Amino acid sequence: MGELIKEKRISSLPSGTLILRIRSMAKEERLFLKVWVDNAKKRVVFAETSSDFVDVLFSFLTLPLGTIIKLLSDNSGLGCIDNLYDSIKQLSDEHFSTKACKNMLLSPCSAAAEYCEKLKLNVYGPRVFYCCKMDDCISRTRCYYSSVWQTRCYYCGEFMNEIVPWRNDETTDGVFVKKNDTKFMITDDFRVTQSSVSAFYDRLKELDVKDINLLEEWILEFGREELLNLLKESLRTKEALTNIFFPDLCIRCTSPQCKNWMEIIMNKSKGNAELEIQEMLIIPIVNRTSNKVMCAVVGKEFVDQLLSFLTFPLGSVLKLIGYSDSFGCMNNLYDSIHELKIKYFKSEEAKSMLISPKLAPFFGYRKQMLYMEESSPLVPSSLYGCQKCYWDNNNSPCITVSCKHGVQQSHFIEIDPMLDKADTYIDEGFVRSDQNFLVTDDLHVTPISLPYFIQILKRQGLHADQLEYGEIVIERPHVYNLLKTMLTSETTLSDALSFRQVE
Ligand SMILES: [Zn+2]
């Protein structure tokens, strides 16, 4: 992550303003954040910025969990989710329903990607799609593409690996928030409000700042790398801006253990009785001495439940699990969107895209016990002539009656990455059926292997007589609790499943 360098700003900013630049070499869009710092107490009191920066902060909520792990180089520091993500990398292709299924989990698409592409600083990179490279497959009246790498071509069955960038419509009036002169105030823990004297006064009072002469005004400059650093800090501490500003102070926030989980689950389960409750059985192997689950033998259905969490957008996870101390600044950010009046947003749609972000098209796992809405695929676009001629002509449509491939009009249709060949599903879900897996307490998922099991035993210095095993029927409350503890605890199975049921 970028190294902090303090510099005096020479001109163009009001005198007395210092600039703290987090230097990176690449030329890219930069975002600026004005912050007021209490140097004596070593903290950022508040920040003020325009809609561009707020748009970027809000966009964090649209990111699927798997995308967050990928952006943070498998090091989000959240519970066990990094281990789960790493397990997918380690599992060979043969365990997945299709090759594309593995890619779906390692690089989940966001349903808000089209919006986020218009951000002033987009950490997610340009949006692309994949299509077949065979001329015969893309010069027909129906032409297929996928948002996921290595989806099978509908016609020839080969992987669609030809990368095509989406055409990006330039926007000038903001992404989620209206672009105008409105300034927003952001607190250290990501409460976002419209800038006002009363908000300023309340903040000073809250932090007991009496002498405003002691506040220093600084400008923070953000590129992609610095923004990712901010994302990381904001997920695990409530002092994201302070930690960016005073990196030496950076204190790792301890994840509180999940308390009263039975109560939480019961409350959550009410009102969802209409949802069909499915069941699955797992075999936890418990260390009797420590009262912890060492690992569990699980089937495909359980693994699919776990893996599909990676496709969940952060905002929807926060909505689902409710308030938790463990998500750094993210709950405040989420609440701010609720509380900000609709007049600040571009549209109702933009606001709801942040409050209830949906899964990208085709990313839903049909048997997922926690309901997560999937967005509809784009309406197939149509043009005169075939796609091949369209691309060959630099994206200009055919002007003759039909193109040289004899196509008058063609349709461009997104294909389901879970389809193996043409219209056949090889399986349902991300991993193939008829497999059993071993899941450790900290969510390393591997195929069942006796040597690996012995290795875990040895690593933990356990004797066989210290272990016992039983069965747990996994129901929706367990799945709910798995999602929650996976993000906060390093002993997810023990904390989420209440293994005492084994006794
Ligand atoms: Zn093809």
Side-chain angles (χ1 to χ4, degrees), residues 131-134 136-138 153-160:
C131 64
C132 187
K133 61 177 182 294
M134 304 297 290
D136 186 42
C137 302
I138 52 172
C153 174
Y154 183 84
Y155 296 117
C156 69
E158 295 297 317
F159 290 133
M160 302 206 286

Side-chain angles (χ1 to χ4, degrees), residues 281-287 292-300 302-303 306 436-449 452-453 456 460 468-472 474 482 492-494 497 499 502:
L281 195 76
I282 69 164
I283 301 171
I285 295 152
V286 177
N287 175 353
K292 292 273 181 194
V293 176
M294 188 186 83
C295 60
V297 178
V298 304
K300 163 221 160 48
F302 185 83
V303 173
L306 278 185
N436 282 323
F437 295 87
L438 211 58
V439 181
T440 59
D441 203 9
D442 58 354
L443 298 192
H444 282 284
V445 180
T446 55
I448 283 279
S449 133
Y452 181 67
F453 179 72
I456 304 175
Q460 299 192 5
E468 62 181 17
Y469 68 91
E471 286 178 350
I472 297 184
I474 299 294
L482 276 167
T492 296
L493 293 188
S494 299
L497 301 179
F499 59 89
V502 177

